[in-house]
Amino acid sequence: MAETATTGLTWSDLQQFPDDGVKRELIGGRLFVTPSPVDRHQWTAVLVSAALLDAARVAGGRVFHALDVVLGERDVVQPDVCAFRPEHLDRIRDGYPRAAPDLVVEISSPATRRTDLGRKKDLYERHGVAEYWFVDLDADRIECYRLDAGRYGPPRLLTRDDRLGSAQLPALDVAVDTVLPAPED
């Protein structure tokens, strides 16, 4: 993820950029620009989205893929996937989430790995995202962080032989192998 020298930006400034398919995020008013993800990353996002959507349909709620999430005027991110419980749908206003999702999923890529496990994880923790998953395509696993007393503890590490569930989407119960594509040859 390339960080630009631009600082002090807000959600209003971000909306002035052209609709050119470039992923732009703000963390503390600093602009971050990310290159397009590769196919395995995108396929993983689709598989995770589908699993979360199936679980959300059971009890309500919403699942989004690569949508701006406005956590504050100077904190606007675009997680790979995020989900809202039915009782938190009021956080979505004017076409965008305006508060923390209940679950955020980031999928690793060489350009975003450090930011996903550093600044973005810290940002999600600060804004009260109850669950944060980091899908580590290099390690072929999912790191599941859960908020406890306002902090993320050590992650639960899930590999292909495990099952994936969520306190935020209780109907979710899938084999990790079904949402984690095989490593590229």
Side-chain angles (χ1 to χ4, degrees), residues 21-42:
V22 174
K23 181 177 176 180
R24 294 177 181 91
E25 299 177 293
L26 297 178
I27 300 177
R30 296 186 82 140
L31 179 64
F32 291 83
V33 180
T34 307
S36 298
V38 297
D39 64 337
R40 184 170 184 233
H41 180 283
Q42 284 294 78

Side-chain angles (χ1 to χ4, degrees), residues 1-177:
M1 177 178 277
E3 180 179 353
T4 71
T6 308
T7 61
L9 294 177
T10 65
W11 168 236
S12 298
D13 296 323
L14 196 60
Q15 291 178 301
Q16 300 306 310
F17 282 92
D19 187 9
D20 56 6
V22 174
K23 181 177 176 180
R24 294 177 181 91
E25 299 177 293
L26 297 178
I27 300 177
R30 296 186 82 140
L31 179 64
F32 291 83
V33 180
T34 307
S36 298
V38 297
D39 64 337
R40 184 170 184 233
H41 180 283
Q42 284 294 78
W43 183 233
T44 304
V46 168
L47 294 173
V48 169
S49 295
L52 294 179
L53 181 60
D54 286 346
R57 284 184 173 156
V58 171
R62 294 258 177 95
V63 175
F64 296 103
H65 174 78
L67 179 69
D68 284 342
V69 175
V70 183
L71 296 172
E73 262 313 290
R74 298 185 185 281
D75 293 315
V76 182
V77 291
Q78 199 178 94
D80 291 310
V81 183
C82 66
F84 289 83
R85 296 171 59 102
E87 62 269 25
H88 296 147
L89 293 180
D90 62 335
R91 296 176 182 177
I92 304 162
R93 296 183 308 277
D94 302 322
Y96 296 97
R98 303 291 180 146
D102 295 296
L103 169 65
V104 166
V105 182
E106 295 286 3
I107 300 163
S108 69
S109 71
T112 65
R113 178 181 202 82
R114 253 183 55 203
T115 302
D116 288 344
L117 287 171
R119 289 181 181 181
K120 285 180 92 173
K121 182 174 145 265
D122 293 346
L123 181 72
Y124 296 143
E125 182 181 71
R126 239 183 4 262
H127 283 277
V129 173
E131 283 187 45
Y132 172 57
W133 298 351
F134 179 71
V135 180
D136 192 336
L137 296 176
D138 294 327
D140 209 32
R141 70 182 186 199
I142 301 174
E143 300 177 16
C144 298
Y145 296 87
R146 291 202 173 141
L147 210 56
D148 182 23
R151 305 284 303 168
Y152 290 137
R156 182 171 171 229
L157 303 177
L158 301 175
T159 61
R160 291 186 172 278
D161 296 331
D162 294 317
R163 297 201 64 81
L164 181 60
S166 170
Q168 302 308 308
L169 295 170
L172 180 69
D173 181 26
V174 298
V176 169
D177 196 41

